[in-house]
Amino acid sequence: MGTIILGTGSCLPSRVMSNVELESIVDTSDEWIRTRTGIENRRIGGTGEKTYQLAASAARNALEMAQVDAEEIKLLVVGTVSSHMLMPSCACYVQNEIGAASAFAYDLNAACCGFLYGLDAGDRYVRTDTQSKVLIIGAETLSSRVNWQDRNTCILFGDGAGAAVLGHSDDSERKIIGTNHRSDGGLWDLLYMHNAPSQNPDLLVEDNPGAHIIMEGREIFKHAVKAMEEAIFGLFKKTGLSIDDVDVMIPHQANFRILNKLLERLEIPREKVVLNVMHYGNTSAASIPIALDEANRAGRIEPGSTVLFCSFGGGLTWGATLLSW
Ligand code: ACO
């Protein structure tokens, strides 16, 4: 008995950008990108594919699968760091687009952990109001937030959105089993993005190159593997479960090398792991809900399956969630 996912949805921009196309933009190669990251293609938003528009489309798909009307949604959360506006929130735009007139809506800034942190907030909301339905979305257009001259970062990211509708189940076997989330603001400068320059000269941030991603790739790599491993083993300890109990693992789709290292340490069979980073690159907060929706629609998740999520991102933020489907 507890919170369950009633429906999932996703939406990806139609434009595919290959590694070969990137070769004409920055000094890189298809071979370098494939061997260092496993990424082959990513999707790039075009006209009519702003963050809220992708999010709204993913939300409609999730609502349709859940057979929930938009007006039944009480809480609408969008994990994002790339909305086209700072205010109003992306979530308020989505609310308006889909007609979720009874909801309160807000954005959640936890970088790549936006969906998992949102799932935690949604779970707690449903548990205190078991009649309520909640919509959690991860949506990004990071193509608008990378420096296309910086080969260290622009090759990694892509655009997309994924969504999940949450509700209460009386079935004793089905619930979000547990979460183990952490942050460390002390390591903020390994991965960050400036805001628009301050209009108050006293509050100007020095050396603000503009609102795009800046990253210490090697440091992020080390922290990502260690943090996700610790979050997962911490969660097993908390819940009394082990890697053998996991039927499906849906990690944040950062890149193959990070994931390979993590999967080696977990000793989980590869066929249990959902991977799509080669097609979409790193879509930050959207990566887990997109992979979840694809796995769900492909029938990879069955009633009773134990599903493991884990993520890591700027903040730093990281965490793991276990649920019984
Ligand atoms: N194409 C060709 N060469 C490149 C590119 C590129 N796109 N980018 C960097 N290089 C060069 C560097 O300039 C460097 O050249 P030099 O030796 O002449 O100085 C060389 O390649 C090696 O660079 P490294 O940074 O040491 O390469 P590394 O093997 O560490 O791989 C990478 C870089 C892929 C970024 C790796 O550090 C990584 O995966 N980090 C994690 C980053 C990540 O996933 N961030 C996403 C956000 S956080 C998250 O989602 C978990």
Side-chain angles (χ1 to χ4, degrees):
M1 190 167 77
T3 307
I4 57 165
I5 293 178
L6 300 168
T8 60
S10 57
C11 176
L12 289 143
S14 51
R15 183 173 169 217
V16 179
M17 183 186 275
S18 68
N19 293 345
V20 174
E21 187 178 347
L22 272 166
E23 289 175 2
S24 65
I25 299 173
V26 283
D27 181 12
T28 190
S29 67
D30 176 44
E31 195 267 335
W32 193 97
I33 300 171
R34 275 175 200 259
T35 52
R36 297 302 210 288
T37 71
I39 298 166
E40 296 167 19
N41 292 300
R42 69 284 295 138
R43 299 295 179 94
I44 304 292
T47 308
E49 293 174 333
K50 288 192 172 70
T51 308
Y52 78 91
Q53 291 166 319
L54 299 174
S57 179
R60 284 189 204 99
N61 293 339
L63 288 165
E64 191 185 357
M65 185 191 284
Q67 296 187 304
V68 167
D69 194 272
E71 290 203 358
E72 293 176 61
I73 298 296
K74 288 284 175 285
L75 167 63
L76 194 168
V77 179
V78 180
T80 187
V81 293
S82 54
S83 190
H84 72 299
M85 303 269 271
L86 259 187
M87 183 180 72
S89 65
C90 185
C92 282
Y93 270 95
V94 175
Q95 173 188 28
N96 187 45
E97 282 285 303
I98 66 173
S102 311
F104 71 102
Y106 62 87
D107 286 356
L108 194 159
N109 177 342
C112 306
C113 290
F115 180 77
L116 277 202
Y117 283 17
L119 202 55
D120 184 61
D123 172 31
R124 289 166 202 274
Y125 192 86
V126 170
R127 279 194 272 143
T128 55
D129 177 2
T130 55
Q131 296 305 306
S132 65
K133 302 286 184 291
V134 167
L135 185 54
I136 307 296
I137 303 170
E140 305 281 9
T141 49
L142 287 173
S143 62
S144 65
R145 293 285 168 255
V146 290
N147 173 0
W148 286 99
Q149 265 89 55
D150 178 13
R151 66 179 183 174
N152 292 296
T153 51
C154 74
I155 56 138
L156 294 172
F157 298 99
D159 302 344
V165 177
L166 310 185
H168 174 81
S169 170
D170 287 326
D171 183 336
S172 61
E173 300 299 318
R174 302 184 67 203
K175 61 183 175 186
I176 292 183
I177 300 165
T179 58
N180 188 23
H181 295 340
R182 290 282 312 281
S183 310
D184 184 353
L187 296 170
W188 69 271
D189 56 354
L190 298 183
L191 182 57
Y192 60 95
M193 194 197 305
H194 282 275
N195 209 329
S198 167
Q199 300 301 311
N200 174 349
D202 293 336
L203 301 181
L204 270 174
V205 177
E206 283 173 28
D207 303 323
N208 179 350
H212 57 74
I213 292 171
I214 298 172
M215 180 186 75
E216 294 286 341
R218 283 193 172 184
E219 285 302 309
I220 286 293
F221 191 107
K222 282 188 263 172
H223 283 286
V225 176
K226 187 163 173 281
M228 285 192 278
E229 182 189 10
E230 283 176 6
I232 291 166
F233 283 115
L235 183 54
F236 285 151
K237 199 166 173 199
K238 223 165 131 177
T239 57
L241 298 180
S242 78
I243 200 74
D244 297 333
D245 296 306
V246 174
D247 298 303
V248 183
M249 178 181 177
I250 305 178
H252 167 48
Q253 311 285 313
N255 70 54
F256 264 135
R257 274 162 74 221
I258 290 181
L259 292 173
N260 277 339
K261 271 251 162 357
L262 177 67
L263 301 180
E264 267 168 30
R265 294 187 187 183
L266 296 177
E267 295 182 17
I268 184 167
R270 294 297 161 112
E271 61 273 16
K272 291 187 176 182
V273 183
V274 179
L275 291 174
N276 63 13
V277 65
M278 53 287 198
H279 306 307
Y280 310 132
N282 180 342
T283 58
S284 188
S287 91
I288 288 180
I290 292 170
L292 169 65
D293 185 47
E294 289 190 343
N296 190 22
R297 285 174 195 268
R300 289 183 68 176
I301 312 173
E302 290 170 359
S305 291
T306 299
V307 184
L308 171 66
F309 300 112
C310 65
S311 193
F312 176 89
L316 297 178
T317 56
W318 66 94
T321 299
L322 272 168
L323 69 84
S324 168
W325 192 258

